[in-house]
Amino acid sequence: MKANVWAGRNRLEIQDVPDPRILNARDAIVRVTSTAICGSDLHLVDGYIPTVKKGDVLGHEFMGEVVELGPGVRNLHIGDRVVVPFPIACGACFACQDGLYSLCENSNPNAGMAEKLMGHAPAGIFGYSHMLGGFPGGQAEYVRVPFADVGPIKIEDDLPDEKVLFLSDIFPTGFMGAEMCDIKPGQTIAIWGAGPVGQFAAASAFLLGADRVIVIDRFPYRLRRVQRTGAEVLNYEEVDVLEALRDMTGGRGPDACIDAVGMEAHHPTPAMYAYDRAKQATRMETERPYVLREAIMACRNGGVVSVIGVYGGFVDKFPMGTVMNRSLTIRTGQCHVQRYTEPLLQRIRAGEIDPSFVISHRMPLSKAPHAFELFKNKQDECNKVVLIP
Amino acid sequence: MMTDRLARALGWTSLALGAAQLAAPRAVTRLCGLDDAPGATTVARLVGARELLHAALLLGARNPAPWAWTRIAGDAMDLTVLGRAAAGRTGARRARALAALGAVAGITALDAACARQGTAKAKGPLQVRATITVNKRREEVYRFWRELENLPTFMVHLDAVRTIDQRRSRWKAKGPIAALEWEAEIIDERAGDLIAWQSVPGTGIATAGLVGFTDGPGGRGTVVDVSLEYGTPGRKLAAAVARMFGEHPEQQLRDDLRRFKQVMETGEVVRSEASPEGHRALRQLRQRPAQPTAQPTGGRA
């Protein structure tokens, strides 16, 4: 089968690889009908996530049709249409039973590796480094899905792929980002990053009752897109974000701040950017945490900083004094997707939201390397690419 | 413990001596009565650098005592130099050289005691311990473990365990060269609480183990706590096996327990394409790419 394979930093190749096989009793093989490129894939492509190997199949947002089942899967049938959550979760451990699916204690066969870097190991994730399990991803014609009786959600009506595909990651991720803010009526939420996750976070903040949402980015086309959700926007290359947010919130600051950017953020001041860029390039730190720093500085006293942007390792110049002295709450996490698929599918069915609004490009899987170029370099107003195998 | 503390103290002494010799070589040579020798300050600096090396080894090592042997080598050198200096000199210089000789001899005795105890400790049995929480009832967890023939499903270096009777069992493991076999005997057992076993002397390798089962707090499953000990002949073997699988015995035990948890909670060892055989320890380091593999895996469990 064909798959999009990591061939080194900034090198992707479409390669012929063997078809996946059932390895565990609760596996399913899914023929991928739609898959997408996620912003967090860029961290892999740029080589900032440790333990990625040449030959790894990328992709963690996908859906398709069940074509083969292990003997342990009773709730799915051949031919079922499923959306597959990106974290792999067993459903039986303490974390899963607590709803913390991205922290599943059994789904990461390389937990020992992750432990060395992180202290304790998170769950396995499709196509997202060996430290997170070494599972091939979904930018391929077929994928093996472990614990297929727990994660995948069946789509039984005629909702098209494009409306439900993003239940695999970015819609629940954006939603969880907003949910972690504990939004109450009348509140103002600031979101850094107007990419697809930021757009979903903005839409979700309104769904959860936010009064105002302010989104910060530098690309006018992304800001225009997020305005469709009803959000106000700030271009950080044109205004001083801290000052602007203070002005817009009566001097108090946003009630909650969402970091939907993560480790490869940009900064408008060349000197500031150069500092972290140089440290990151020489691998002295893994992150460029401007957004995290700015979100902490901007947040109102006693507010919440919700981190859904991906971080890989170690952060420099972290304003802990601000966090402590101003009673800020920091909430974080890879999305516990399995917790959200069913309720969000209901919202899609009810017409409360149509997630396909983020799509800007559709291409065959064979064009994946080109699609990554467009997405990475923000060419052709690229917002979200759906790949069809 | 005491030995390690003594070794650290010797490390600090080395650091102080080394720093003094590098910073003030003249003062040091005068104190030892060697200041009249040509090139004395250069030698003092070299010896100072050597002392810093001792310091780095003794203060940096996790298990410092055996490194005291490097200090003994240094002491031998110093004693030779000081002895010759004392023999070839008279008056105040001779007195100072003899005093230095006495001091070094005293330190040498300390070094020797530390190094010998350190080496003796390193030859003792190898002990490893690990613990994990399994989200199942204690009786169930205990019962699975007590069925010793289940052990190879999650202990990757075991090939097979065959029970002979209630207490005795025959164990087979992959060795670095040939397969290893030994007989084990359950020496203590409290249903639902603990199982202790040891190998029957003369049947292969010397090993003993203890697994305890307790209720997790707040009804959170069962805490499984395992200690293993390998005797002197077993120790070398354990180290060789560990090397073969690319891991420290402690890491190996932790990984075994993680697989045990997987088997108890999910029914089998979880595999990914990067480690399709259910992650042998060596694969932790040298994994295949995360893409489907063509060849059959031949794994078990």
Side-chain angles (χ1 to χ4, degrees):
Chain A
M1 67 161 186
K2 302 260 184 251
N4 185 33
V5 163
W6 194 83
R9 284 172 70 188
N10 288 311
R11 280 183 47 217
L12 294 170
E13 282 171 15
I14 298 294
Q15 286 182 4
D16 266 314
V17 303
D19 287 346
R21 292 167 306 119
I22 302 277
L23 295 179
N24 281 108
R26 289 161 70 188
D27 289 352
I29 306 293
V30 169
R31 183 178 65 81
V32 178
T33 53
S34 296
T35 176
I37 299 173
C38 179
S40 55
D41 286 334
L42 298 180
H43 306 315
L44 298 176
V45 172
D46 293 342
Y48 291 123
I49 302 281
T51 72
V52 178
K53 284 182 82 80
K54 284 184 185 174
D56 287 357
V57 177
L58 297 189
H60 55 268
E61 295 179 357
F62 60 94
M63 63 178 296
E65 183 194 333
V66 175
V67 293
E68 203 181 329
L69 281 171
V73 187
R74 304 248 156 72
N75 57 340
L76 292 178
H77 298 95
I78 306 290
D80 280 351
R81 240 180 114 209
V82 290
V83 178
V84 181
F86 77 85
I88 300 168
C90 76
C93 65
F94 173 71
C96 284
Q97 292 186 345
D98 222 22
L100 301 167
Y101 295 97
S102 74
L103 300 173
C104 172
E105 294 164 359
N106 287 318
S107 67
N108 185 351
N110 293 328
M113 207 189 272
E115 246 171 26
K116 289 206 169 65
L117 194 78
M118 298 188 185
H120 296 272
I125 293 180
F126 290 102
Y128 215 79
S129 87
H130 286 247
M131 179 173 82
L132 299 179
F135 293 96
Q139 289 166 12
E141 291 179 280
Y142 296 91
V143 196
R144 165 182 165 249
V145 177
F147 299 118
D149 53 336
V150 177
I153 178 168
K154 257 193 265 191
I155 307 295
E156 286 169 306
D157 45 26
D158 54 359
L159 285 171
D161 276 20
E162 292 189 350
K163 280 195 177 188
V164 291
L165 170 61
F166 303 125
L167 285 172
S168 59
D169 177 358
I170 53 170
F171 183 18
T173 296
F175 190 87
M176 182 166 120
E179 194 189 61
M180 289 194 294
C181 296
D182 283 334
I183 298 172
K184 291 170 191 72
Q187 287 196 333
T188 301
I189 311 298
I191 301 171
W192 277 255
V197 169
Q199 292 162 22
F200 275 119
S204 304
F206 283 121
L207 283 176
L208 292 171
D211 219 39
R212 292 174 75 192
V213 175
I214 304 166
V215 182
I216 300 128
D217 203 301
R218 64 179 169 142
F219 293 100
Y221 79 90
R222 304 218 295 189
L223 291 172
R224 278 199 305 278
R225 247 176 205 279
V226 80
Q227 272 176 321
R228 293 189 214 162
T229 65
E232 297 157 72
V233 298
L234 289 176
N235 185 328
Y236 68 78
E237 286 186 330
E238 288 166 6
V239 296
D240 181 306
V241 173
L242 290 182
E243 219 166 83
L245 285 174
R246 208 174 287 140
D247 283 351
M248 295 167 84
T249 55
R252 185 181 280 158
D255 296 287
C257 295
I258 300 175
D259 171 358
V261 177
M263 65 194 298
E264 290 186 77
H266 288 80
H267 195 282
T269 314
M272 293 284 285
Y273 182 68
Y275 174 78
D276 283 289
R277 191 73 192 81
K279 289 195 74 175
Q280 197 183 41
T282 52
R283 298 296 190 267
M284 288 164 72
E285 66 172 341
T286 44
E287 331 288 334
R288 305 197 300 257
Y290 320 114
V291 163
L292 194 56
R293 293 181 193 134
E294 200 167 70
I296 289 169
M297 297 307 274
C299 194
R300 78 151 157 85
N301 282 356
V304 178
V305 177
S306 161
V307 184
I308 48 176
V310 170
Y311 288 88
F314 298 92
V315 157
D316 187 8
K317 304 282 183 293
F318 183 82
M320 195 59 209
T322 314
V323 175
M324 187 272 161
N325 287 291
R326 299 206 291 108
S327 301
L328 299 184
T329 300
I330 297 184
R331 299 186 69 185
T332 64
Q334 290 280 10
C335 184
H336 307 296
V337 179
Q338 285 84 339
R339 205 202 272 175
Y340 299 99
T341 43
E342 195 56 53
L344 292 183
L345 179 63
Q346 300 301 342
R347 286 184 189 261
I348 296 170
R349 278 206 186 107
E352 286 177 50
I353 186 167
D354 174 2
S356 63
F357 79 93
V358 296
I359 301 171
S360 64
H361 289 69
R362 297 164 179 87
M363 282 180 213
L365 175 67
S366 57
K367 290 269 175 60
H370 173 63
F372 266 89
E373 279 300 308
L374 289 184
F375 183 52
K376 182 183 169 178
N377 300 316
K378 317 284 188 293
Q379 290 164 356
D380 195 23
E381 305 214 334
C382 185
N383 189 63
K384 185 76 181 176
V385 188
V386 173
L387 300 167
I388 313 292
Chain B
M1 205 55 224
M2 268 312 288
T3 315
D4 280 347
R5 267 159 73 181
L6 175 61
R8 297 270 189 237
L10 291 171
W12 287 110
T13 312
S14 278
L15 189 63
L17 281 173
Q21 276 164 298
L22 285 173
R26 277 178 181 288
V28 173
T29 51
R30 240 191 334 271
L31 196 69
C32 301
L34 300 170
D35 51 326
D36 57 340
T41 52
T42 313
V43 172
R45 281 205 185 93
L46 285 172
V47 171
R50 194 200 72 207
E51 290 288 352
L52 291 187
L53 182 71
H54 298 319
L57 291 170
L58 285 161
L59 296 175
R62 201 177 210 176
N63 181 17
W67 291 108
W69 287 111
T70 67
R71 275 187 54 94
I72 293 186
D75 291 336
M77 224 166 103
D78 295 352
L79 288 172
T80 316
V81 171
L82 288 169
R84 289 181 62 181
R89 281 173 177 76
T90 51
R93 280 211 173 91
R94 182 182 166 89
R96 287 205 294 267
L98 280 172
L101 192 66
V104 173
I107 291 180
T108 307
L110 268 180
D111 288 342
C114 178
R116 279 185 53 190
Q117 282 170 34
T119 311
K121 197 183 83 176
K123 275 190 183 144
L126 174 80
Q127 290 167 322
V128 290
R129 190 174 160 264
T131 177
I132 203 161
T133 304
V134 177
N135 199 13
K136 288 278 173 190
R137 286 184 316 115
R138 187 145 59 99
E139 295 72 40
E140 201 177 329
V141 177
Y142 167 83
R143 224 179 315 119
F144 188 86
W145 194 294
R146 182 61 183 82
E147 205 62 58
L148 298 177
E149 300 192 350
N150 285 333
L151 297 183
T153 54
F154 59 92
M155 294 193 157
V156 290
H157 58 282
L158 283 182
D159 258 344
V161 176
R162 196 164 47 78
T163 47
I164 300 167
D165 56 38
Q166 263 307 96
R167 295 162 59 82
R168 287 217 171 194
S169 50
R170 185 128 199 101
W171 299 48
K172 217 183 198 174
K174 293 178 188 62
I177 302 157
L180 305 163
E181 283 195 52
W182 69 96
E183 225 172 279
E185 180 179 30
I186 290 181
I187 48 171
D188 193 6
E189 181 180 10
R190 262 174 275 149
D193 285 341
L194 69 86
I195 309 169
W197 68 93
Q198 68 178 28
S199 51
V200 178
T203 64
I205 67 173
T207 170
L210 171 69
V211 52
F213 306 88
T214 44
D215 289 325
R220 287 186 189 175
T222 305
V223 175
V224 180
D225 200 317
V226 180
S227 309
L228 294 179
E229 192 176 294
Y230 298 92
T232 315
R235 182 194 164 77
K236 267 192 191 137
L237 206 112
V241 171
R243 256 202 304 284
M244 189 173 91
F245 291 107
E247 264 186 14
H248 189 269
E250 199 140 295
Q251 177 72 37
Q252 213 169 67
L253 179 60
R254 257 210 308 277
D255 289 342
D256 280 345
L257 285 188
R258 226 179 330 250
R259 279 182 288 266
F260 174 65
K261 177 181 165 75
Q262 288 172 356
V263 171
M264 291 307 301
E265 292 181 355
T266 78
E268 55 188 327
V269 173
V270 178
R271 300 175 189 183
S272 75
E273 284 82 343
S275 44
E277 50 286 273
H279 82 131
R280 294 281 159 67
L282 188 63
R283 295 274 180 229
Q284 293 278 98
L285 300 172
R286 268 182 273 149
Q287 303 218 329
R288 304 161 198 249
Q291 58 173 243
T293 52
Q295 62 272 55
T297 57
R300 51 172 125 65

